[in-house]
Amino acid sequence: ALKLLVHFVGDITQPLHNEDKLKGGNGIPVEWNDHKDNLHSIWDTDMVERLAGKDNVANLNAWTKKIVKELNSGLYTASLSSWISCVDLEGIQDCALKWSQDSNALICSYVMNPTPGPTDPLDDYYEGAAPIIQEQVAKGGVRLAALLNTIYTGQTGFPPSTHSEPLFRIQEL
């Protein structure tokens, strides 16, 4: 059940998992780093790897540190309260819908605005996508933490926004 919950919260933050145009981007051919792929795949894997590095412990720890820094005292600090504003176990379907709508809004504002073509250069597209990807990963992690805390303790575990101590600590793998 935990594995499913982690997967679900992660998936709901990826914008193309909340979109049906051409099967969530699977039907949109693109060329990325000299290989043909589809838009969904490059959002799921390729752009994440370009942003965070290949999938290994060292890169995971480095990217986690970067995100935690932004959560504690950077770009994401002011957004935390809105990210965890819906973690109501009684209305979890409504929360999931809100999270999905939040992610889906990125389809119109960036992901498919305009839809990249099969031979469009994606370097500029990636530069705009990278901060969205990182924020969505941060958002998913925060929401998952708040949801698990609420399941196990009845509270999100996050103090009011006036709290001055770092909210997140890193335990490296």
Side-chain angles (χ1 to χ4, degrees), residues 104-153:
N104 182 263
L106 297 168
I107 295 296
C108 295
S109 67
Y110 190 81
V111 178
M112 292 187 184
N113 185 17
T115 301
T119 59
D120 289 346
L122 295 180
D123 286 338
D124 289 343
Y125 181 82
Y126 167 79
E127 292 304 319
I132 293 169
I133 292 166
Q134 182 165 298
E135 181 174 313
Q136 290 303 103
V137 169
K139 198 180 291 183
V142 166
R143 287 176 173 162
L144 178 62
L147 185 58
L148 290 172
N149 285 342
T150 302
I151 289 168
Y152 292 109
T153 69

Side-chain angles (χ1 to χ4, degrees), residues 69 71-74 77 80 158-169:
K69 181 179 178 186
L71 288 167
N72 282 332
S73 61
T77 306
L80 283 172
F158 292 93
S161 59
T162 58
H163 189 67
S164 60
E165 293 294 316
L167 294 176
F168 298 92
R169 305 232 189 290

Side-chain angles (χ1 to χ4, degrees), residues 7-137:
H7 187 100
F8 174 74
V9 174
D11 274 1
I12 207 167
T13 63
Q14 204 275 46
L16 288 164
H17 288 182
N18 297 281
E19 175 59 37
D20 194 32
K21 182 177 181 181
L22 296 171
K23 299 180 182 174
N26 283 301
I28 300 173
V30 295
E31 191 170 316
W32 175 264
N33 292 340
D34 298 324
H35 76 277
K36 294 183 187 307
D37 212 327
N38 64 68
L39 188 62
H40 187 108
S41 179
I42 68 164
W43 270 84
D44 263 357
T45 306
D46 299 332
M47 289 195 294
V48 174
E49 285 185 350
R50 184 166 171 186
L51 177 61
K54 290 285 185 189
D55 187 9
N56 63 51
V57 172
N59 289 336
L60 176 63
N61 285 334
W63 196 29
T64 300
K65 285 179 184 177
K66 183 177 181 179
I67 290 172
V68 165
K69 181 179 178 186
E70 296 296 344
L71 288 167
N72 282 332
S73 61
L75 191 60
Y76 309 138
T77 306
S79 301
L80 283 172
S81 61
S82 70
W83 292 357
I84 62 167
S85 64
C86 191
V87 190
D88 176 20
L89 297 181
E90 297 296 318
I92 196 64
Q93 298 90 343
D94 294 331
C95 292
L97 179 60
K98 286 179 184 177
W99 297 349
S100 179
Q101 290 167 335
D102 173 69
S103 186
N104 182 263
L106 297 168
I107 295 296
C108 295
S109 67
Y110 190 81
V111 178
M112 292 187 184
N113 185 17
T115 301
T119 59
D120 289 346
L122 295 180
D123 286 338
D124 289 343
Y125 181 82
Y126 167 79
E127 292 304 319
I132 293 169
I133 292 166
Q134 182 165 298
E135 181 174 313
Q136 290 303 103
V137 169

